Amino acid sequence: MEQRDYFEDVYDVVRLIPAGRVTTYGAIARYLSLRAGARMVGWAMNAAHGRDVPAHRVVNRIGVLSGKHFFGNPTAMQDLLTAEGIEVKDDRVVKFSEVLWDPATELA
DNA sequence: ATATTGACTATCA
DNA sequence: TTGATAGCCAATA
């Protein structure tokens, strides 16, 4: 069971996210030209456990920590983001537009 | 093989 | 503004 397909492509992009920045599922999907769409990026993250993938830096399009519940401890994701300088309030990234790291724009 | 679900997004009411 | 609906693709409850 080697999902060495777009899964690893997603992981690679997520690893490129600088600390103190976040990105969205749609941005990754769009950058990789994934036919799959944003949902599969989230699914790839599900398999990202055990890898060096900072999935806590990946949020949905409005900056909501939609995947925090998958970190074992619901507060783990928020704590990680806060530790990196990202302000999180009510499960949502504060100043989301400022900390947003879009690979299609930043990485080009 | 079919139906349901999902760490999403865009559009419409 | 929020809420509902559709589109999208892959894995499986």
Side-chain angles (χ1 to χ4, degrees):
Chain A
M1 106 176 239
E2 309 235 351
Q3 31 317 83
R4 53 172 70 127
D5 294 61
Y6 61 93
F7 286 70
E8 299 200 359
D9 288 336
V10 172
Y11 301 155
D12 186 50
V13 174
V14 175
R15 292 192 192 101
L16 293 177
I17 303 172
R21 293 294 188 109
V22 296
T23 192
T24 68
Y25 304 97
I28 296 173
R30 201 170 48 224
Y31 175 71
L32 295 177
S33 300
L34 289 180
R35 296 154 63 293
R39 300 185 106 143
M40 299 299 87
V41 176
W43 191 258
M45 295 286 93
N46 188 9
H49 283 281
R51 298 175 186 255
D52 299 328
V53 181
H56 60 274
R57 293 178 186 156
V58 183
V59 296
N60 65 8
R61 71 174 181 88
I62 62 177
V64 174
L65 283 53
S66 50
K68 69 168 192 171
H69 189 75
F70 281 58
F71 281 74
N73 184 0
T75 60
M77 186 174 185
Q78 177 176 330
D79 186 61
L80 286 170
L81 291 173
T82 304
E84 295 184 349
I86 300 175
E87 300 178 58
V88 178
K89 189 69 171 182
D90 190 42
D91 298 334
R92 195 174 55 137
V93 176
V94 180
K95 299 176 183 173
F96 175 64
S97 302
E98 299 181 14
V99 297
L100 177 60
W101 184 86
D102 187 341
T105 303
E106 305 295 324
L107 191 58

